[in-house]
Amino acid sequence: MKEFDRYHKQMLFKPIGEHGQALLGEKHVLIIGCGALGSSIAEMLTRAGIGKLTLIDRDYVEISNLQRQHLFTEADVQKKLPKVIAAQSALNSINAEVTIEAHVMDGNANTLPNLVNNVDLIMDATDNFDTRFLINDIAQKHSIPWIFGACVASSGLSFTIIPEKTPCLDCLIKVAPMFGATCDAVGVISPAVQMVVAHQVTEALKILVGAEGNLRSTLVIFDLWHNQYQMIDVSKAKAKDCKSCGTDASYPALTYKNSTKTEILCGRDTVQIRGKKFELTMLAKQLERFGEVNQNPFLVSVQTKAHRIVFFQDGRTFIHGTNSIKEAKKIYYQMVG
């Protein structure tokens, strides 16, 4: 081990050492969500020398992200780059030894099961419990550990879920305190994000180097502004009759909303429609009569007087400026027929 090696300081930490560093370089982590939590998790794991990261996110970079999402820049906002594409570029510039796979798509019951082959760990960086319940069922079905994390305002929480050993999310949510508000409603400060990430990535490193005996068995929950920090024992929450992790598990989330074509994005004043795929250059020309059009290789957006509409390459559309599915559909069909 040479002092100028990239991972020298990390290998000096005895619980990791040279053997643990070699193990990290062989591991594959799936990060679901590439916003505040996901981008910071991805950066830490990339700097730590993970072998491969797979990133999935459905959104693009906006100016309001820059306050807490450290990988992104004003240039990414101007280009309206999808978050995973901007993250992939930034991460490649940090550590070219790491393989970064990026997917601009919605994480749902159709797409996520296709991404878990050869994955050693799943990191939750989502902003809604529908997706978390889906992660939970996929992880239980395929026996993949995953690390739950959430933050809002100055508070955060995290729990490490090991199939067959710990309570799953469905067990946990029945007995533990969870946040009712969202960061879109009450805001969030960057230190709360980084505290959750610190807990998540530390647990991830333990799993990836084979130090499961050091995993935290409690739910951690904190409020930085009010100087509160709790470790809650939830070991008795595991239920034998749980539909996700019990003896007769049926994994209900794997079919939940599987056929849903529209949804209101949490706190965003935005409706997502999953429709047909368009050839983006032809679509951009078609949209010019409705307002100012911007295009990149991943999406086309049009700004009207009242709404911003974003068409993604995978067939999804964001209608910004409404929480009405009926109104969103009307706008969508006016533009594309």
Side-chain angles (χ1 to χ4, degrees), residues 32-81:
I32 301 174
C34 204
L37 293 177
S39 58
S40 288
I41 291 168
E43 180 179 355
M44 282 195 188
L45 289 177
T46 296
R47 291 186 185 279
I50 194 72
K52 180 178 179 180
L53 287 181
T54 295
L55 311 177
I56 176 172
D57 192 282
R58 64 186 176 185
D59 214 343
Y60 59 96
V61 184
E62 298 182 274
I63 193 69
S64 62
N65 301 147
L66 301 187
Q67 165 256 346
R68 66 199 178 281
Q69 300 181 20
H70 293 181
L71 282 183
F72 308 134
T73 67
E74 290 181 354
D76 298 325
V77 175
Q78 291 165 1
K79 296 174 185 175
K80 289 186 169 58
L81 282 182

Side-chain angles (χ1 to χ4, degrees), residues 17-294:
E18 292 189 43
H19 177 67
Q21 190 63 53
L23 288 174
L24 282 175
E26 298 171 355
K27 301 299 184 179
H28 179 190
V29 175
L30 170 62
I31 303 176
I32 301 174
C34 204
L37 293 177
S39 58
S40 288
I41 291 168
E43 180 179 355
M44 282 195 188
L45 289 177
T46 296
R47 291 186 185 279
I50 194 72
K52 180 178 179 180
L53 287 181
T54 295
L55 311 177
I56 176 172
D57 192 282
R58 64 186 176 185
D59 214 343
Y60 59 96
V61 184
E62 298 182 274
I63 193 69
S64 62
N65 301 147
L66 301 187
Q67 165 256 346
R68 66 199 178 281
Q69 300 181 20
H70 293 181
L71 282 183
F72 308 134
T73 67
E74 290 181 354
D76 298 325
V77 175
Q78 291 165 1
K79 296 174 185 175
K80 289 186 169 58
L81 282 182
K83 289 183 178 180
V84 291
I85 300 302
Q88 182 182 46
S89 176
L91 296 171
N92 283 336
S93 69
I94 289 169
N95 191 346
E97 297 176 357
V98 177
T99 300
I100 310 292
E101 187 178 293
H103 296 273
V104 186
M105 63 169 64
D106 197 19
N108 57 51
N110 291 320
T111 58
L112 285 183
N114 300 322
L115 297 179
V116 299
N117 289 336
N118 302 313
V119 164
D120 298 292
L121 175 65
I122 300 172
M123 301 295 284
D124 163 40
T126 63
D127 60 0
N128 67 88
F129 273 90
D130 283 344
T131 307
R132 289 186 180 113
F133 284 127
L134 179 57
I135 295 169
N136 187 60
D137 278 9
I138 290 172
Q140 296 298 324
K141 184 176 181 179
H142 295 276
S143 296
I144 303 170
W146 73 283
I147 303 175
F148 163 52
C151 59
V152 64
S154 59
S155 299
L157 52 83
S158 180
F159 185 66
T160 302
I161 298 173
I162 309 295
E164 300 181 11
K165 294 181 180 179
T166 70
C168 76
L169 181 63
D170 196 53
C171 297
L172 189 69
I173 205 166
K174 292 178 172 66
V175 301
M178 295 289 162
F179 302 136
T182 68
C183 61
D184 293 292
V186 300
V188 63
I189 58 173
S190 186
V193 174
Q194 295 307 311
M195 179 70 87
V196 174
V197 171
H199 281 288
Q200 285 185 287
V201 175
T202 303
E203 292 290 282
L205 292 174
K206 294 174 189 177
I207 290 171
L208 297 170
V209 302
E212 288 87 353
N214 292 98
L215 287 171
R216 174 175 34 79
S217 61
T218 54
L219 169 71
V220 62
I221 183 166
F222 63 84
D223 185 331
L224 294 176
W225 202 261
H226 297 97
N227 308 306
Q228 297 169 351
Y229 190 94
Q230 289 180 281
M231 305 281 272
I232 302 173
D233 182 2
V234 293
S235 57
K236 294 181 180 179
K238 188 168 175 58
K240 291 183 179 179
D241 61 348
C242 176
K243 297 298 183 184
S244 294
C245 72
T247 51
D248 295 313
S250 57
Y251 314 114
L254 292 180
T255 55
Y256 179 61
K257 289 189 176 179
N258 193 18
S259 61
T260 301
K261 300 299 180 186
T262 59
E263 64 178 302
I264 300 169
L265 301 190
C266 177
R268 291 283 302 278
D269 196 29
T270 299
V271 173
Q272 175 180 261
I273 297 174
R274 290 201 293 274
K276 65 180 182 178
K277 297 180 181 180
F278 296 97
E279 201 287 312
L280 295 185
T281 301
M282 291 180 62
L283 179 63
K285 273 219 170 290
Q286 181 180 331
L287 295 175
E288 286 176 353
R289 63 193 177 99
F290 295 102
E292 182 183 348
V293 175
N294 286 283

